[in-house]
Amino acid sequence: MTIGIAVIGAGMAGRAHAAAYRAAPTLYSSVLPPLRYVSIGDISPDLGGLAARRFGFERSDTSWEAIAADPEIHVVSVVVANSLHREMVEGLVAAGKHVLCEKPLSDNLDDARAMADLARSADTIVRIGFTFRRSPGVAALRELVTSGALGRVLHVDVRYWCDYASDPQGPISWRYRGAPGTGALADVGSHAAYLGEFLAGNIREVSGARFTTAITQRPVPLAAVVGHGQVAVSDTYEPVENDDYAAFSAQFADAVGVVQVSRVAAGHPNGLVLEVFGDQGAATWAQERPAEFALMLNEGPVGSRGFRRVIIGPDHPYVAGGLAMDAPGVGLGQNEGFVYQARAFLEEVAGIDEADSLPRCATFAEGVHNMEVLAAVTQPAARGGAAVEVPRQRELAAAGEAVGR
């Protein structure tokens, strides 16, 4: 059987999904069935058409309904504004499609829970993309935790500093509208929260949360805004409704930690940093230097202990067979995570045994849990930092149990 593929959304992340599907069959052993690249969907015919030509898809569509109605399409990535996810996912699942939805699952918990209920009863495979779990450096840190190399985890620190909103003349868009917690916390904090849990177990309680809207108004754009792009702006300004910066403390299942996120951190275009500290050592990884991590172990004379740089190579997760040139030191970045994610999703759709596959993509139940964490954070932020318990995750997923080939 040939698997027909479509991507809804031709913005920055949508293009990453499209490129990932093109590269997915080139990884590891050639076990995937034939793939057909059918459509890129976008409300803008220009953006959709350009993306379709660029990534070798047969056509573009301006409505998601056209993709849902096409019997030759079997797999669909939904990569649009969060508020649009539920309608599209419900329609695609009703049409018998396998769906990979970008995070966060929705812009509100009610819709997210309804989507998770739908996914549990669906006859197709319905997953959410937690892409950074696929980074070889992140997966290597998790291996250090699960193998016991770092000993008992004491605390973790997760920072995701970005500067895409640091220019006060950057145009207003959907990203800046919504209640507190729907800004930087939802956009990049959703990544930070699930990565903290990837290293230290589920978050059980949050406290000490603080939100700041540093730039309180932005100009209205004179053209469509795509991703974090800049366009010409008018002299009319509209208020920014949500958070530019957010921080909170967390009680994880096995440790404590701090999560800090910003979209106005000048000089950090994509500054994700993970640090994990155990009673036998510590490790740190940064997206700005994604092909390496730092490791310190409590070994040897105390006077000679310290962090050392580890270059990521084929001995680390995902790399051997996962890059065309998979030798040590060739480098890698964020785009590879999308490729590993697409490969994992297609392996599951194709019915390849989990033992012979990459770790499965996250379930919608995990997506709901991620949103429940973020929703819990908004409560102490509004109540002077008081502690709030996070609802227990109702469903565990295999994606959280392993790290890759």
Side-chain angles (χ1 to χ4, degrees):
M1 172 188 172
T2 297
I3 297 176
I5 298 172
V7 175
I8 301 175
M12 179 177 64
R15 295 193 298 270
H17 278 248
Y21 283 124
R22 296 294 311 193
T26 70
L27 307 186
Y28 311 115
S29 301
S30 300
V31 296
L32 291 176
L35 305 179
R36 179 183 169 196
Y37 303 94
V38 182
S39 178
I40 301 286
D42 198 277
I43 193 171
S44 166
D46 292 337
L47 288 175
L50 177 61
R53 293 190 298 274
R54 179 178 175 182
F55 299 108
F57 282 67
E58 296 173 9
R59 69 170 197 263
S60 62
D61 288 293
T62 56
S63 74
W64 67 266
E65 292 92 345
I67 289 173
D70 189 340
E72 299 300 313
I73 294 174
H74 310 99
V75 164
V76 184
S77 276
V78 175
V79 198
V80 294
N82 307 333
S83 61
L84 303 177
H85 286 179
R86 180 178 178 179
E87 179 186 14
M88 292 185 184
V89 169
E90 288 180 342
L92 292 165
V93 171
K97 312 302 184 188
H98 305 285
V99 178
L100 177 61
C101 183
E102 259 298 332
K103 65 84 216 161
L105 201 52
S106 177
D107 66 337
N108 67 86
L109 263 172
D110 288 342
D111 280 358
R113 288 170 177 147
M115 293 165 69
D117 289 340
L118 171 72
R120 289 187 191 95
S121 60
D123 295 327
T124 55
I125 296 164
V126 186
R127 298 285 184 257
I128 186 172
F130 284 175
T131 314
F132 276 114
R133 294 204 304 207
R134 308 284 179 179
S135 169
V138 174
L141 261 61
R142 180 178 165 90
E143 279 194 342
L144 289 168
V145 170
T146 58
S147 70
L150 301 182
R152 181 172 64 89
V153 175
L154 305 178
H155 64 94
V156 298
D157 188 280
V158 184
R159 303 187 301 278
Y160 204 158
W161 292 347
C162 301
D163 63 3
Y164 64 81
S166 61
D167 182 359
Q169 290 300 302
I172 196 79
S173 72
W174 65 268
R175 294 181 185 276
Y176 304 103
R177 298 188 173 99
T182 63
L185 184 67
D187 192 11
V188 294
S190 50
H191 284 301
Y194 75 68
L195 287 172
E197 293 187 313
F198 198 51
L199 298 178
N202 281 355
I203 293 175
R204 295 177 174 174
E205 182 182 274
V206 296
S207 62
R210 180 175 295 275
F211 294 161
T212 296
T213 303
I215 298 173
T216 58
Q217 61 178 6
R218 291 185 176 275
V220 174
L222 296 174
V225 179
V226 179
H228 300 150
Q230 299 290 318
V231 299
V233 297
S234 71
D235 295 329
T236 302
Y237 283 75
E238 293 183 355
V240 174
E241 299 172 352
N242 53 27
D243 43 292
D244 287 329
Y245 169 91
F248 64 94
S249 297
Q251 174 64 61
F252 294 88
D254 303 316
V256 296
V258 174
V259 176
Q260 203 181 162
V261 298
S262 174
R263 62 189 183 191
V264 292
H268 290 279
N270 198 23
L272 173 63
V273 178
L274 306 179
E275 295 181 287
V276 55
F277 300 92
D279 62 5
Q280 296 299 316
T284 180
W285 173 87
Q287 173 59 36
E288 292 174 345
R289 300 180 69 92
E292 62 186 61
F293 62 92
L295 175 64
M296 179 271 179
L297 297 175
N298 293 342
E299 297 175 347
V302 173
S304 61
R305 294 178 188 174
F307 279 99
R308 58 186 174 86
R309 185 174 67 150
V310 179
I311 302 298
I312 293 172
D315 289 333
H316 298 108
Y318 291 101
V319 175
L323 296 171
M325 185 182 292
D326 56 3
V330 300
L332 47 87
Q334 188 170 346
N335 285 300
E336 281 82 4
F338 285 96
V339 180
Y340 303 141
Q341 174 179 275
R343 173 72 182 214
F345 189 56
L346 292 171
E347 287 176 339
E348 187 174 10
V349 168
I352 297 171
D353 189 88
E354 190 170 354
D356 300 320
S357 303
L358 292 179
R360 301 302 196 204
C361 293
T363 66
F364 272 24
E366 289 183 277
V368 169
H369 172 73
N370 181 249
M371 289 187 61
E372 287 175 335
V373 169
L374 303 185
V377 171
T378 66
Q379 297 179 49
R383 290 166 28 193
V388 174
E389 289 188 2
V390 176
R392 290 181 64 87
Q393 191 170 344
R394 291 176 291 173
E395 180 181 321
L396 296 177
E401 301 302 322
V403 294
R405 285 188 173 92

